[in-house]
């Protein structure tokens, strides 16, 4: 029962405005398959992605180091070579793991290398880390002249602390290099302060050392050849905790995988023997099927919407010709409840990284106008793929609707001025009208352009706000030691991220949180965003704008931004919201005023006490604006070890109540924190428990909605909630990978809620699926079919894709003995068909059917029937990864 729906006139107008406001010039896509980069002749090892001015640059191991460019993290184009080894210097060979950091107009490439020698020990023991720099992400890069640390080290990873702007160097350290350590210690992870761009403090503290079987070089620490390997660190920071993801084991073994350690502090102060960091086992990403092996050496970057964390890593895809043929995979990462989750490596179709509702990278010809998306004052122009203005100019993003909760990115720089006034560049963090606005600007000192500060000012309810000036020492101090040719701080591009969450305004500059203020007048106030160039200076330039409706809440203000309906909601501890009433009944609380039909909402939660055997807690997946129609989703607290995940729809106007129940694994611990997430795409609600798809439910829910939290006969605690509007619709075909059991009911069978496909002469198989663990098979000499009905699709263009495979039979003799037909029928109209014929022994073959649903007619929504019919002949024919968008 896959489903979408036609939106009501008012809400449809809102969403169409959102989609129309995207003003980038490259073609958008909604799905992709891994790997996104690399093949059997040109691999991608140790990939790293830099996001700069709204665009992406990927660097990987090689000599020369190459850079690829992308707008969406999926489609990549080779831009060229950027750095080579030098036989007359210290970096003679083995250019590994380049990572590029942008700071104050300079791009710094951190890498590791060694001396070239026929002697293994000379080559191995001289591995050091270095840095090269450039004025462009496309290079060329120039080496600084010497290693940045005197210690043995590989896989240099630079991390800037979002709380104070300090920079650290996290790297793989050879413990056996020290005299007091055994060779079996191999490599571990350490962290050191990066005092200036080309010099570490040379005082590393331990992060973690090898201890697990899979971290051994051959995955077996008992065979007499023990040597642990931990390498390729990548750091995340969330709610006061640091997470370092690493690759364990030998890169050329299938046991190579990703694990992580965590700590409340970066540097333990205990030196090389520190024990503060906690290791989580087993690895969270590893070889999953015989199609993909040895995932490792990753990096993190924000998706185009500036909300989702995206992981880039390398892996090997069958057929495996050599261990060195690694290719690049991109996948979304979740950090919930102190745990990192990712889908296991797959080559199945999946949603592209989600985008903003408005984006402009000004990738168009020079012009005297910015285009129709803006409401302008002053002088504006497009110049060299950036928007530039004269002083005292503004550009309101008028094509996007006013929002109460959002994340807005703008990259800004001031233009050079010969006058004594401060060069400034800025933006509207919130704009309601001329009596209600808040602007933020980065300005240089008139006497020292290397000294930067953030200035925040504005007017609310016609009352001027007290101006706030925040110094930015992490930028100014870095500029003092920058290479020759670096622009002054105020004249370099800086990323500003504005987050408006209800009445709280947060501002980050170049990834560092520098401003947080609560303005109660902004609660439920909808506003625009835009660019705003102060009158001082010579003007400014801008690039990489992105706006996403979103909010996150770690409950630092308790229930301040939430509206309760029954119960007692309080904050007994930091970062926690609790429902503590002992009264029986269902109580809920909601947040926000953005009623929508396409969104994602999630929260970490636990049930800490119950009042009956019928106790449940979780999320309000949707509540209509009238409050009469509600969908609850949560887990029950029954007699241990049994528990269920229940989706309940209650309509008080019609008296309608319905439930969908999923049995949870035996031993489910309700008193531990779990993450519940819902993705609503019109009438299709997809529910995830601890980031595993738990229920896909079609609910005829015609109203736009907001989400919330609830308890029924229980007391529960909630932490780290978030919401975002989604652009990418997701897979409208249920169980497209056939990972859930499907039953062959014979001719004339119809699908049911728990059996999305109606099968005839077909069965599930775990033998050689295209991805995941299962596929659908029609056996030799039979005809079979799989049918699924998708009710309620609205007008628009759609694409149905799948993979088919004619498996080898000794009787095939190379003849085309397998044929299949993929068919789509809208209502009772003529079918759209894609037929394919496979020779025996062929590889998995992609097939597609493009179709459209025209607006108008008697029905606001339509029924689409997907049918796969196969004739196996003397062979067996398989179907997998059905994907409808």
């Amino acid at each position: 029962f896959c489903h979408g729906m036609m939106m009501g006139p008012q809400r449809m107008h809102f969403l169409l405005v959102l989609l129309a406001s995207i003003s980038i010039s490259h073609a958008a896509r909604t799905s992709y398959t891994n790997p996104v980069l690399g093949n059997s002749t040109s691999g991608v090892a140790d990939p790293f992605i830099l996001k700069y001015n709204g665009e992406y640059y990927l660097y990987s191991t090689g000599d020369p180091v190459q850079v690829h460019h992308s707008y969406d993290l999926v489609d990549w184009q080779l831009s060229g070579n950027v750095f080579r080894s030098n036989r007359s210097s210290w970096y003679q060979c083995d250019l590994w793991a380049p990572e590029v950091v942008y700071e104050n107009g300079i791009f710094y490439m951190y890498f590791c290398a060694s001396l070239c020698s026929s002697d293994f020990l000379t080559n191995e023991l001289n591995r050091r880390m270095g840095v090269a720099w450039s004025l462009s992400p496309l290079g060329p890069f120039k080496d600084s002249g010497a290693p940045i640390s005197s210690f043995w080290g590989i896989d240099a990873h630079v991390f800037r602390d979002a709380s104070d702007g300090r920079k650290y160097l996290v790297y793989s350290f050879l413990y056996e290099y020290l005299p007091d350590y055994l060779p079996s210690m191999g490599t571990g992870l350490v962290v050191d302060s990066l005092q200036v761009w080309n010099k570490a403090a040379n005082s590393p503290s331990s992060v973690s050392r090898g201890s697990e079987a899979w971290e051994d070089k051959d995955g077996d620490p008992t065979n007499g050849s023990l040597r642990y390997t931990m390498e390729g660190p990548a750091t995340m920071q969330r709610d006061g905790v640091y997470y370092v993801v690493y690759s364990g084991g030998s890169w050329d073994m299938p046991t190579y995988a990703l694990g992580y350690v965590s700590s409340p502090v970066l540097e333990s102060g205990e030196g090389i023997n520190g024990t503060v960091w906690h290791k989580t086992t087993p690895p969270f990403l590893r070889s999953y099927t015989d199609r993909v092996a040895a995932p490792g050496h990753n990096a993190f970057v924000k998706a185009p919407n500036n909300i989702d964390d995206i992981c880039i890593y390398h892996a090997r895809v069958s057929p495996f010709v050599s261990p060195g043929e690694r290719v690049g995979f991109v996948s979304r990462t979740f950090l919930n409840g102190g745990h990192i989750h990712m889908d296991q490596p797959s080559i199945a179709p999946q949603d592209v990284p989600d985008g903003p509702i408005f984006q402009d990278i000004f990738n168009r010809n020079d012009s005297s106008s910015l285009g129709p998306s803006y409401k302008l004052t002053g002088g504006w122009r497009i110049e060299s793929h950036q928007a530039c203005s004269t002083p005292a100019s503004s550009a309101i993003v008028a094509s996007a609707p006013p929002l109460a909760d959002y994340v807005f990115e703008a990259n800004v720089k001031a233009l050079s001025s010969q006058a004594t006034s401060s060069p400034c560049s800025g933006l509207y963090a919130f704009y309601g009208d001329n009596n209600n606005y808040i602007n933020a600007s980065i300005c240089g000192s008139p006497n020292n352009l290397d000294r930067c500060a953030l200035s925040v000012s504005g007017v609310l309810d016609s009352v001027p706000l007290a101006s706030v000036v925040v110094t930015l020492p992490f930028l100014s101090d870095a500029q003092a030691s920058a290479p020759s040719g670096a622009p002054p701080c105020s004249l370099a591009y800086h990323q500003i991220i504005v987050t408006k969450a209800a009445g709280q305004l947060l501002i980050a500059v170049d990834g560092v949180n520098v401003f947080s203020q609560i303005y109660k007048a902004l609660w439920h106030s909808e506003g625009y965003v835009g660019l705003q160039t102060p009158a001082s200076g010579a003007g400014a330039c801008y690039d990489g704008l992105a706006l996403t409706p979103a909010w996150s809440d770690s409950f630092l203000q308790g229930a301040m931004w939430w509206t309760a309906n029954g119960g007692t909601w309080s904050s007994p501890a930091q970062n926690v919201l609790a429902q503590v009433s002992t009264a029986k009944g269902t109580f809920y609380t909601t947040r926000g005023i953005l009623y929508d039909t396409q969104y994602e909402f999630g929260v970490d939660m636990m049930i800490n006490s119950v009042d009956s055997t019928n106790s449940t807690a979780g999320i309000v997946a949707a509540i209509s604006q009238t409050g009469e129609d509600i969908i609850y989703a949560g887990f029950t607290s029954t007699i241990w070890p049994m528990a269920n995940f229940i989706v309940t729809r209650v309509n008080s106007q019609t008296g309608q109540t319905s439930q969908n129940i999923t049995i949870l694994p035996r031993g489910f611990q309700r008193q531990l924190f779990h993450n519940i997430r819902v993705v609503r795409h019109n009438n299709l609600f997809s529910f995830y428990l601890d980031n595993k798809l738990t229920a896909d439910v079609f609910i005829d829910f015609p109203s736009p909605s907001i989400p919330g939290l609830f308890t029924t006969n229980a007391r529960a605690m909630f932490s780290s909630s978030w919401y975002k509007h989604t652009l990418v619709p997701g897979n409208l075909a249920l169980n497209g990978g056939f990972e859930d059991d499907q039953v062959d009911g014979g001719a004339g069978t119809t699908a049911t809620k728990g059996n999305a496909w109606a099968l005839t002469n077909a069965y599930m198989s775990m033998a050689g699926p295209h991805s995941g663990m299962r596929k659908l098979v029609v056996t030799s000499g039979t005809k079979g079919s799989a049918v699924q009905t998708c009710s309620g699709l609205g007008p628009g263009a759609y694409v149905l894709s799948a993979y088919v495979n004619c498996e080898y039979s000794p009787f095939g003799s190379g003849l085309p003995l397998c044929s299949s037909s993929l068919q789509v029928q809208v209502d009772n109209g003529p079918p759209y068909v894609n037929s394919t014929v496979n020779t025996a022994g062929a590889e998995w073959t992609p097939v597609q059917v493009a179709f459209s649903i025209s607006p108008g007619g008697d029905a606001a929504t339509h029924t689409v029937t997907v049918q796969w019919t196969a004739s196996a002949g003397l062979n067996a024919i398989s179907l997998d990864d059905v994907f409808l968008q």
Side-chain angles (χ1 to χ4, degrees):
F1 285 67
C2 55
H3 191 73
M5 65 166 286
M6 176 73 171
M7 296 162 285
Q10 181 178 2
R11 199 56 182 179
M12 179 176 67
H13 172 73
F14 173 71
L15 289 181
L16 288 178
V17 169
L18 298 187
L19 296 174
S21 65
I22 298 175
S23 44
I24 51 180
S25 60
H26 58 88
R29 57 189 295 185
T30 57
S31 65
Y32 75 102
T33 57
N34 276 314
V36 297
L37 190 61
N39 52 49
S40 60
T41 59
S42 178
V44 175
D46 310 330
F48 177 83
I49 296 178
L50 167 73
K51 183 182 181 184
Y52 172 69
N53 285 5
E55 301 177 45
Y56 297 96
Y57 301 85
L58 185 150
Y59 308 84
S60 57
T61 286
D63 194 358
V65 175
Q66 294 184 324
V67 60
H68 291 77
H69 173 264
S70 176
Y71 296 104
D72 60 5
L73 293 168
V74 172
D75 292 312
W76 294 93
Q77 299 296 323
L78 177 63
S79 295
N81 303 327
V82 297
F83 188 61
R84 295 177 182 272
S85 61
N86 184 344
R87 288 302 180 101
S88 62
S89 185
W90 69 271
Y91 57 103
Q92 296 178 2
C93 58
D94 293 348
L95 285 182
W96 294 349
E99 292 198 6
V100 176
V101 176
Y102 171 80
E103 185 175 63
N104 282 349
I106 301 292
F107 298 85
Y108 299 101
M109 176 185 289
Y110 293 86
F111 63 95
C112 59
S114 186
L115 300 178
C116 287
S117 174
S118 58
D119 178 66
F120 172 78
L121 286 180
T122 299
N123 179 262
E124 184 66 23
L125 295 180
N126 282 283
R127 299 197 185 281
R128 298 293 185 272
M129 299 169 294
V131 59
W133 64 276
S134 174
L135 294 175
S136 167
L138 300 178
F141 285 82
K142 178 182 179 181
D143 177 59
S144 65
I148 59 177
S149 173
S150 60
F151 291 106
W152 188 102
I154 62 171
D155 300 348
H157 165 63
V158 174
F159 169 72
R160 186 188 290 279
D161 195 318
S163 64
D164 57 19
R166 295 181 182 178
K167 290 192 300 183
Y168 297 88
L169 182 69
V170 188
Y171 62 97
S172 180
F173 177 83
L174 185 64
Y175 274 88
E176 61 196 67
Y177 181 76
L178 301 176
D180 297 333
Y181 285 84
L182 298 174
S184 63
M185 293 305 300
T187 58
L189 303 178
V190 297
V191 58
D192 199 359
S193 175
L194 192 63
Q195 296 175 325
V196 294
W197 66 278
N198 60 349
K199 189 65 176 177
N202 272 327
S203 181
S205 296
S206 175
V207 172
S208 187
R209 294 189 292 273
S211 61
E212 305 303 306
W214 65 275
E215 296 168 348
D216 180 40
K217 68 181 180 66
D218 59 8
D220 183 2
T222 65
N223 62 2
S225 60
L226 175 64
R227 187 177 186 271
Y228 291 114
T229 298
M230 298 179 70
E231 60 187 21
T235 306
M236 302 178 75
Q237 183 178 3
R238 190 72 50 83
D239 295 333
V241 178
Y242 303 93
Y243 301 83
V244 174
V245 174
Y246 65 93
S247 303
S250 183
W251 65 273
D252 55 349
M253 296 292 292
T255 50
Y256 197 60
L258 288 180
Y260 65 95
V261 294
S262 58
S263 170
V265 296
L266 265 176
E267 292 183 295
S268 66
E270 299 176 343
I272 207 70
N273 293 307
T275 57
V276 173
W277 291 77
H278 169 74
K279 182 180 293 186
T280 298
T281 57
F284 71 96
L285 192 74
R286 50 187 161 183
S287 300
Y288 184 54
T289 69
D290 58 1
R291 301 280 290 177
V292 183
H297 202 114
N298 77 298
F300 295 108
V301 69
K302 284 294 184 183
N305 64 3
N306 286 308
I307 306 297
D308 302 333
D309 293 308
I310 303 299
C311 178
I312 174 78
Y313 62 93
H314 72 227
R316 299 197 300 275
V317 177
S318 66
F320 306 122
V321 179
S322 75
E325 291 173 356
R326 292 160 287 180
V327 289
F329 278 60
V330 163
S331 183
R332 185 177 174 188
T333 305
F334 295 89
L335 177 50
N336 307 125
H339 296 284
I340 297 176
H341 303 271
M342 280 178 60
D343 288 339
Q344 294 305 306
S346 173
I347 57 175
Q350 54 188 300
D351 302 334
V352 299
D354 218 345
I357 63 168
F358 173 86
Q359 184 178 26
D360 202 345
I361 56 173
F362 304 103
N363 188 22
R364 46 193 184 270
N365 294 333
D366 289 358
S367 171
S368 58
S369 172
L370 300 191
S373 296
Y374 302 90
K375 179 181 178 182
L376 305 175
T377 64
W380 289 90
R381 63 191 184 277
I382 301 290
E383 181 179 284
S384 301
H385 295 173
Q386 55 189 347
C388 298
S389 74
T390 57
S393 298
S394 66
I396 302 296
V397 178
S399 61
L403 299 168
D405 301 280
Y406 52 78
V407 174
F408 175 52
E409 174 191 9
N411 295 271
V412 307
K413 73 171 183 178
L415 294 177
S416 178
S417 172
Q418 303 301 320
T420 58
S421 60
S422 299
C424 295
S425 56
L427 52 77
Y428 279 113
F430 172 84
Y431 183 86
D433 53 38
N434 290 336
N435 296 314
N436 293 275
Y437 64 86
I438 298 175
N439 51 41
S441 304
I442 293 180
C443 298
S445 168
N447 300 317
N448 186 352
L449 298 185
D450 285 341
R451 311 303 294 181
C452 284
L454 177 75
S455 176
V456 181
S457 60
V459 175
L460 289 178
D461 294 334
S462 302
V463 178
L465 301 174
S467 296
V468 178
V469 176
V470 182
T471 60
L472 306 173
F474 60 93
L475 295 181
S476 302
D477 294 345
Q479 199 67 15
S481 63
S484 175
C489 174
S490 56
L491 304 185
Y493 262 115
H494 298 283
Q495 181 198 60
I496 299 180
I497 297 282
V498 174
T499 301
K500 181 185 179 298
Q504 186 174 25
L505 197 68
L506 302 99
I507 299 176
V509 175
D510 290 343
V512 181
N513 302 320
V514 298
F515 179 85
S516 176
Q517 184 68 46
I518 292 177
Y519 301 98
K520 290 190 176 180
L522 290 183
W523 190 16
H524 288 178
S525 294
E526 296 180 321
Y528 297 90
V529 295
L531 307 175
Q532 192 267 338
T533 306
S536 63
C541 288
Y542 304 89
D543 202 357
L545 311 186
L547 174 65
T548 302
W551 56 260
S552 62
D553 196 340
S554 296
F555 304 111
L556 293 176
Q557 282 78 46
M560 177 180 289
W561 313 119
W562 295 75
T563 302
N565 187 296
T568 303
W569 300 84
S570 64
S571 185
Q574 189 177 26
N575 293 358
V576 170
L577 179 65
Q579 196 296 106
V580 298
S581 174
T582 59
K584 291 187 176 183
T586 296
F587 310 126
Y588 66 84
T589 183
T590 59
R591 189 188 193 282
I593 59 174
L594 178 58
Y595 287 84
D596 204 351
T597 58
Q598 290 190 190
Y599 57 80
E600 176 181 283
F601 170 66
V603 70
D604 297 333
M605 60 147 297
M606 62 175 286
I607 299 177
N608 51 340
S609 60
V610 299
D611 297 311
S612 74
T613 57
N614 184 27
S615 298
T616 310
I619 62 173
V620 176
I623 180 170
S624 64
Q625 199 158 5
T626 63
E628 296 174 335
D629 210 356
I630 307 178
I631 299 173
Y632 301 100
F635 52 82
T636 62
S637 180
T638 56
I639 300 175
W640 190 88
M642 306 305 295
N644 296 324
F645 186 86
I646 300 180
V647 179
T648 304
R649 191 263 187 91
V650 178
N651 189 312
S652 61
Q653 186 176 26
T654 64
Q656 177 184 2
T657 300
S658 59
Q659 284 191 331
N660 178 284
I661 300 176
T662 301
I663 300 175
L664 296 178
R666 186 178 179 85
F668 179 81
Q669 301 286 325
R670 54 93 171 164
Q671 69 273 26
L672 300 178
F673 270 100
H674 298 273
N675 179 265
I676 300 179
R677 174 167 56 103
V678 62
V679 179
R680 179 183 181 186
H681 177 60
N682 300 323
N683 285 359
L684 177 62
F685 291 81
S686 299
F687 296 94
Y688 299 80
L689 180 60
D690 294 331
N691 292 291
K692 294 180 180 179
L693 181 61
T694 304
D696 263 334
V697 185
F698 160 62
I699 302 174
D700 187 9
F701 199 93
S703 303
S705 58
I706 57 174
L709 314 170
F710 87 96
T711 64
T712 297
N713 304 328
R715 290 172 292 283
M717 301 174 67
F718 302 85
S719 179
S720 298
S721 63
W722 82 93
Y723 166 95
K724 68 164 187 173
H725 172 79
T726 59
L727 286 183
V728 179
N731 190 2
L732 299 176
L734 300 191
N735 197 20
F738 302 100
E739 298 303 297
D740 296 331
D741 284 327
Q742 301 287 269
V743 179
D744 184 349
T749 301
T750 58
T752 64
K753 183 169 60 178
N755 199 61
W757 294 95
L759 305 182
T760 303
N761 293 331
Y763 68 95
M764 313 286 288
S765 172
M766 299 180 68
H770 176 257
S771 71
M773 301 299 293
R774 303 188 189 189
K775 63 182 179 181
L776 187 68
V777 178
V778 171
T779 57
S780 301
T782 65
K783 287 188 176 181
S785 66
V787 179
Q788 182 175 149
T789 300
C790 312
S791 302
L793 288 177
Y798 297 86
V799 175
L800 176 72
S801 62
Y803 286 83
V804 295
N805 182 18
C806 184
E807 301 180 15
Y808 177 73
S809 166
F811 304 103
S813 303
L815 298 176
L817 299 176
C818 289
S819 64
S820 66
S821 172
L822 194 64
Q823 174 177 302
V824 173
Q825 185 177 27
V826 179
D827 297 330
N828 295 316
Y832 298 78
V833 178
N834 181 302
S835 297
T836 181
V837 176
N838 297 303
T839 58
E843 289 292 319
W844 283 98
T845 302
V847 293
Q848 283 190 341
V849 180
F851 66 98
S852 61
I853 299 177
S854 302
D858 296 332
T861 59
H862 303 263
T863 297
V864 169
T865 301
V866 176
Q867 179 169 323
W868 177 69
T869 305
S871 176
L874 296 178
N875 296 336
I877 188 167
S878 303
L879 176 73
D880 203 358
D881 292 331
V882 181
F883 202 87
L884 173 61
Q885 277 191 328

